[in-house]
Amino acid sequence: MSSETNDEDGVTLRPILNELRKPIHNLDALKALLRSSSKRLQIRTIDVVKSETVDRESGASAFPASDVRHILPLQEVILQQIIPTWYHTLVEDGSNELVDVLFNPRTDSKHPSAFVAAHAHTALLSALPSSPAFAVNLLEHLVKDWPLDKIHFAMFSSPLEISDGQLQSLWSDYLRAVFAIPAKVANSTKNNSPERLTFR
């Protein structure tokens, strides 16, 4: 399927990522950017589920390689710039799910969610020194909601505009992160890794 079809709404991850890198001066602007990110990644947020406005016809379209490449940078920007400054405000506003789903998407979302979840393991491990509570909390949910077999099935059974080599590389990066979780969490928290973060 052509990239024109995928980009028909004119929204791709790269310009959203660029806007998130700039200073954000109000909550509404931030929420709009986070919603645009979820829409581009075909992630169902709770407000979308309630309004039942998800475009189910788009589920069969191929996910462009350009957006796959931008998932991890998007997560890193959120961890480095949004979490320290805005997360408490988002929690008070009741809209922190807009951030959370960009690391641990609902499992009833479209197939790109598996790539979001896979990249999130790497991103959250890198955030352990600066945001240990946030990172450990989301990692606990990730390993429960997105076990290895579910991520593998979604990644390898969906239409993609990336090569087999790129796909295998992404899978290998994910596996390295998964097996590193117990030791890195224990080291960061100066304690034993929670049992639910131990890979089995």
Side-chain angles (χ1 to χ4, degrees):
M1 182 170 290
S2 69
S3 59
E4 288 78 3
T5 300
N6 287 303
D7 296 341
E8 63 183 357
D9 58 2
V11 178
T12 62
L13 272 185
R14 185 170 184 175
I16 298 170
L17 177 58
N18 290 339
E19 288 300 313
L20 284 169
R21 285 175 170 147
K22 300 175 183 177
I24 298 173
H25 301 293
N26 65 79
L27 182 60
D28 287 341
L30 173 60
K31 288 162 65 174
L33 288 169
L34 296 173
R35 287 193 179 99
S36 293
S37 301
S38 293
K39 180 179 179 182
R40 180 63 195 175
L41 293 168
Q42 302 175 30
I43 293 171
R44 301 183 73 196
T45 55
I46 191 64
D47 53 340
V48 169
V49 173
K50 287 181 177 178
S51 62
E52 297 182 346
T53 58
V54 175
D55 179 10
R56 300 182 184 278
E57 295 302 319
S58 65
S61 62
F63 192 58
S66 59
D67 278 354
V68 173
R69 289 195 299 268
H70 288 123
I71 292 173
L72 185 57
L74 174 72
Q75 292 172 334
E76 290 173 341
V77 166
I78 291 172
L79 288 167
Q80 295 165 11
Q81 298 180 211
I82 305 304
I83 298 304
T85 306
W86 286 101
Y87 194 69
H88 181 68
T89 302
L90 288 165
V91 171
E92 290 184 333
D93 183 64
S95 53
N96 55 295
E97 189 216 21
L98 294 174
V99 164
D100 296 349
V101 296
L102 293 172
F103 296 88
N104 183 27
R106 297 170 62 95
T107 54
D108 61 351
S109 299
K110 308 297 186 188
H111 65 266
S113 295
F115 290 90
V116 174
H119 280 300
H121 290 76
T122 299
L124 290 169
L125 285 178
S126 71
L128 282 170
S130 58
S131 303
F134 177 83
V136 171
N137 178 60
L138 276 184
L139 282 169
E140 289 178 353
H141 286 87
L142 265 179
V143 298
K144 175 184 176 182
D145 298 340
W146 286 95
L148 187 149
D149 58 338
K150 181 178 289 187
I151 288 184
H152 183 275
F153 177 80
M155 286 179 66
F156 287 88
S157 64
S158 303
L160 297 164
E161 294 179 358
I162 63 177
S163 68
D164 290 343
Q166 289 173 305
L167 187 58
Q168 289 293 342
S169 178
L170 290 171
W171 176 248
S172 296
D173 290 343
Y174 160 70
L175 289 180
R176 279 193 293 271
V178 165
F179 286 108
I181 288 174
K184 289 197 173 185
V185 169
N187 182 63
S188 176
T189 60
K190 309 301 181 185
N191 202 343
N192 291 329
S193 180
E195 178 70 18
R196 53 191 171 274
L197 283 177
T198 301
F199 181 78
R200 296 182 182 278

PDB file of all heavy atoms in Angstrom, residues 125 127-133 135-136 182-191:
ATOM      1  N   LEU A 125      13.986   1.332  30.348  1.00  0.00           N
ATOM      2  CA  LEU A 125      15.221   0.930  31.024  1.00  0.00           C
ATOM      3  C   LEU A 125      16.211   2.096  31.063  1.00  0.00           C
ATOM      4  O   LEU A 125      16.894   2.312  32.069  1.00  0.00           O
ATOM      5  CB  LEU A 125      15.851  -0.268  30.322  1.00  0.00           C
ATOM      6  CG  LEU A 125      15.173  -1.627  30.548  1.00  0.00           C
ATOM      7  CD1 LEU A 125      15.886  -2.719  29.757  1.00  0.00           C
ATOM      8  CD2 LEU A 125      15.139  -1.993  32.033  1.00  0.00           C
ATOM      9  N   ALA A 127      15.443   5.123  31.257  1.00  0.00           N
ATOM     10  CA  ALA A 127      14.904   6.159  32.137  1.00  0.00           C
ATOM     11  C   ALA A 127      14.987   5.793  33.615  1.00  0.00           C
ATOM     12  O   ALA A 127      14.639   6.608  34.469  1.00  0.00           O
ATOM     13  CB  ALA A 127      13.444   6.445  31.775  1.00  0.00           C
ATOM     14  N   LEU A 128      15.437   4.592  33.923  1.00  0.00           N
ATOM     15  CA  LEU A 128      15.493   4.161  35.328  1.00  0.00           C
ATOM     16  C   LEU A 128      16.293   5.106  36.222  1.00  0.00           C
ATOM     17  O   LEU A 128      15.855   5.405  37.341  1.00  0.00           O
ATOM     18  CB  LEU A 128      16.059   2.739  35.410  1.00  0.00           C
ATOM     19  CG  LEU A 128      15.084   1.610  35.068  1.00  0.00           C
ATOM     20  CD1 LEU A 128      15.831   0.283  34.958  1.00  0.00           C
ATOM     21  CD2 LEU A 128      13.977   1.512  36.119  1.00  0.00           C
ATOM     22  N   PRO A 129      17.450   5.620  35.784  1.00  0.00           N
ATOM     23  CA  PRO A 129      18.203   6.517  36.678  1.00  0.00           C
ATOM     24  C   PRO A 129      17.480   7.820  37.001  1.00  0.00           C
ATOM     25  O   PRO A 129      17.587   8.340  38.109  1.00  0.00           O
ATOM     26  CB  PRO A 129      19.503   6.784  35.898  1.00  0.00           C
ATOM     27  CG  PRO A 129      19.619   5.635  34.957  1.00  0.00           C
ATOM     28  CD  PRO A 129      18.208   5.294  34.574  1.00  0.00           C
ATOM     29  N   SER A 130      16.737   8.370  36.031  1.00  0.00           N
ATOM     30  CA  SER A 130      16.109   9.684  36.222  1.00  0.00           C
ATOM     31  C   SER A 130      14.667   9.608  36.706  1.00  0.00           C
ATOM     32  O   SER A 130      14.202  10.486  37.440  1.00  0.00           O
ATOM     33  CB  SER A 130      16.161  10.482  34.917  1.00  0.00           C
ATOM     34  OG  SER A 130      15.514   9.772  33.867  1.00  0.00           O
ATOM     35  N   SER A 131      13.921   8.578  36.284  1.00  0.00           N
ATOM     36  CA  SER A 131      12.505   8.451  36.661  1.00  0.00           C
ATOM     37  C   SER A 131      12.205   7.014  37.059  1.00  0.00           C
ATOM     38  O   SER A 131      11.410   6.326  36.417  1.00  0.00           O
ATOM     39  CB  SER A 131      11.610   8.869  35.482  1.00  0.00           C
ATOM     40  OG  SER A 131      11.887  10.174  35.046  1.00  0.00           O
ATOM     41  N   PRO A 132      12.821   6.538  38.153  1.00  0.00           N
ATOM     42  CA  PRO A 132      12.686   5.114  38.495  1.00  0.00           C
ATOM     43  C   PRO A 132      11.259   4.686  38.802  1.00  0.00           C
ATOM     44  O   PRO A 132      10.834   3.610  38.357  1.00  0.00           O
ATOM     45  CB  PRO A 132      13.595   4.950  39.715  1.00  0.00           C
ATOM     46  CG  PRO A 132      13.758   6.336  40.270  1.00  0.00           C
ATOM     47  CD  PRO A 132      13.704   7.248  39.091  1.00  0.00           C
ATOM     48  N   ALA A 133      10.517   5.499  39.536  1.00  0.00           N
ATOM     49  CA  ALA A 133       9.148   5.105  39.903  1.00  0.00           C
ATOM     50  C   ALA A 133       8.272   4.979  38.669  1.00  0.00           C
ATOM     51  O   ALA A 133       7.527   3.997  38.514  1.00  0.00           O
ATOM     52  CB  ALA A 133       8.557   6.110  40.885  1.00  0.00           C
ATOM     53  N   ALA A 135       9.260   4.552  35.514  1.00  0.00           N
ATOM     54  CA  ALA A 135       9.746   3.493  34.637  1.00  0.00           C
ATOM     55  C   ALA A 135       9.379   2.115  35.164  1.00  0.00           C
ATOM     56  O   ALA A 135       8.900   1.256  34.413  1.00  0.00           O
ATOM     57  CB  ALA A 135      11.262   3.609  34.467  1.00  0.00           C
ATOM     58  N   VAL A 136       9.584   1.874  36.450  1.00  0.00           N
ATOM     59  CA  VAL A 136       9.281   0.561  37.016  1.00  0.00           C
ATOM     60  C   VAL A 136       7.791   0.284  36.954  1.00  0.00           C
ATOM     61  O   VAL A 136       7.366  -0.833  36.619  1.00  0.00           O
ATOM     62  CB  VAL A 136       9.797   0.457  38.462  1.00  0.00           C
ATOM     63  CG1 VAL A 136       9.284  -0.821  39.133  1.00  0.00           C
ATOM     64  CG2 VAL A 136      11.317   0.480  38.490  1.00  0.00           C
ATOM     65  N   PRO A 182      15.282  -7.515  34.847  1.00  0.00           N
ATOM     66  CA  PRO A 182      15.455  -7.810  36.280  1.00  0.00           C
ATOM     67  C   PRO A 182      16.727  -7.199  36.873  1.00  0.00           C
ATOM     68  O   PRO A 182      16.679  -6.564  37.938  1.00  0.00           O
ATOM     69  CB  PRO A 182      15.487  -9.346  36.319  1.00  0.00           C
ATOM     70  CG  PRO A 182      14.738  -9.767  35.094  1.00  0.00           C
ATOM     71  CD  PRO A 182      15.080  -8.743  34.060  1.00  0.00           C
ATOM     72  N   ALA A 183      17.844  -7.368  36.199  1.00  0.00           N
ATOM     73  CA  ALA A 183      19.111  -6.868  36.733  1.00  0.00           C
ATOM     74  C   ALA A 183      19.152  -5.346  36.760  1.00  0.00           C
ATOM     75  O   ALA A 183      19.614  -4.737  37.739  1.00  0.00           O
ATOM     76  CB  ALA A 183      20.275  -7.405  35.907  1.00  0.00           C
ATOM     77  N   LYS A 184      18.667  -4.705  35.690  1.00  0.00           N
ATOM     78  CA  LYS A 184      18.728  -3.243  35.633  1.00  0.00           C
ATOM     79  C   LYS A 184      17.782  -2.592  36.638  1.00  0.00           C
ATOM     80  O   LYS A 184      18.114  -1.566  37.243  1.00  0.00           O
ATOM     81  CB  LYS A 184      18.428  -2.751  34.215  1.00  0.00           C
ATOM     82  CG  LYS A 184      19.557  -3.053  33.234  1.00  0.00           C
ATOM     83  CD  LYS A 184      19.457  -2.232  31.969  1.00  0.00           C
ATOM     84  CE  LYS A 184      20.679  -2.422  31.097  1.00  0.00           C
ATOM     85  NZ  LYS A 184      20.693  -1.544  29.907  1.00  0.00           N
ATOM     86  N   VAL A 185      16.602  -3.182  36.838  1.00  0.00           N
ATOM     87  CA  VAL A 185      15.682  -2.639  37.828  1.00  0.00           C
ATOM     88  C   VAL A 185      16.256  -2.817  39.228  1.00  0.00           C
ATOM     89  O   VAL A 185      16.208  -1.907  40.061  1.00  0.00           O
ATOM     90  CB  VAL A 185      14.295  -3.309  37.714  1.00  0.00           C
ATOM     91  CG1 VAL A 185      13.421  -2.952  38.917  1.00  0.00           C
ATOM     92  CG2 VAL A 185      13.612  -2.872  36.419  1.00  0.00           C
ATOM     93  N   ALA A 186      16.816  -3.989  39.509  1.00  0.00           N
ATOM     94  CA  ALA A 186      17.406  -4.236  40.826  1.00  0.00           C
ATOM     95  C   ALA A 186      18.559  -3.271  41.085  1.00  0.00           C
ATOM     96  O   ALA A 186      18.701  -2.727  42.186  1.00  0.00           O
ATOM     97  CB  ALA A 186      17.892  -5.677  40.913  1.00  0.00           C
ATOM     98  N   ASN A 187      19.380  -3.019  40.075  1.00  0.00           N
ATOM     99  CA  ASN A 187      20.506  -2.107  40.227  1.00  0.00           C
ATOM    100  C   ASN A 187      20.038  -0.675  40.450  1.00  0.00           C
ATOM    101  O   ASN A 187      20.598   0.062  41.272  1.00  0.00           O
ATOM    102  CB  ASN A 187      21.402  -2.176  38.996  1.00  0.00           C
ATOM    103  CG  ASN A 187      22.621  -1.287  39.110  1.00  0.00           C
ATOM    104  OD1 ASN A 187      23.467  -1.477  39.975  1.00  0.00           O
ATOM    105  ND2 ASN A 187      22.714  -0.295  38.236  1.00  0.00           N
ATOM    106  N   SER A 188      19.009  -0.274  39.725  1.00  0.00           N
ATOM    107  CA  SER A 188      18.515   1.091  39.825  1.00  0.00           C
ATOM    108  C   SER A 188      17.833   1.367  41.161  1.00  0.00           C
ATOM    109  O   SER A 188      17.997   2.433  41.751  1.00  0.00           O
ATOM    110  CB  SER A 188      17.535   1.380  38.685  1.00  0.00           C
ATOM    111  OG  SER A 188      16.968   2.659  38.819  1.00  0.00           O
ATOM    112  N   THR A 189      17.073   0.397  41.633  1.00  0.00           N
ATOM    113  CA  THR A 189      16.315   0.590  42.879  1.00  0.00           C
ATOM    114  C   THR A 189      17.104   0.157  44.108  1.00  0.00           C
ATOM    115  O   THR A 189      16.613   0.297  45.224  1.00  0.00           O
ATOM    116  CB  THR A 189      14.998  -0.201  42.825  1.00  0.00           C
ATOM    117  OG1 THR A 189      15.290  -1.599  42.655  1.00  0.00           O
ATOM    118  CG2 THR A 189      14.130   0.277  41.671  1.00  0.00           C
ATOM    119  N   LYS A 190      18.314  -0.386  43.895  1.00  0.00           N
ATOM    120  CA  LYS A 190      19.151  -0.877  44.997  1.00  0.00           C
ATOM    121  C   LYS A 190      18.423  -1.944  45.802  1.00  0.00           C
ATOM    122  O   LYS A 190      18.557  -2.047  47.022  1.00  0.00           O
ATOM    123  CB  LYS A 190      19.590   0.271  45.919  1.00  0.00           C
ATOM    124  CG  LYS A 190      20.220   1.447  45.206  1.00  0.00           C
ATOM    125  CD  LYS A 190      21.453   1.036  44.412  1.00  0.00           C
ATOM    126  CE  LYS A 190      22.077   2.249  43.713  1.00  0.00           C
ATOM    127  NZ  LYS A 190      23.214   1.878  42.840  1.00  0.00           N
ATOM    128  N   ASN A 191      17.637  -2.715  45.116  1.00  0.00           N
ATOM    129  CA  ASN A 191      16.845  -3.747  45.771  1.00  0.00           C
ATOM    130  C   ASN A 191      16.652  -4.886  44.777  1.00  0.00           C
ATOM    131  O   ASN A 191      17.027  -4.785  43.612  1.00  0.00           O
ATOM    132  CB  ASN A 191      15.491  -3.180  46.208  1.00  0.00           C
ATOM    133  CG  ASN A 191      14.866  -3.981  47.325  1.00  0.00           C
ATOM    134  OD1 ASN A 191      15.249  -5.119  47.589  1.00  0.00           O
ATOM    135  ND2 ASN A 191      13.898  -3.374  48.016  1.00  0.00           N
TER     136      ASN A 191
END
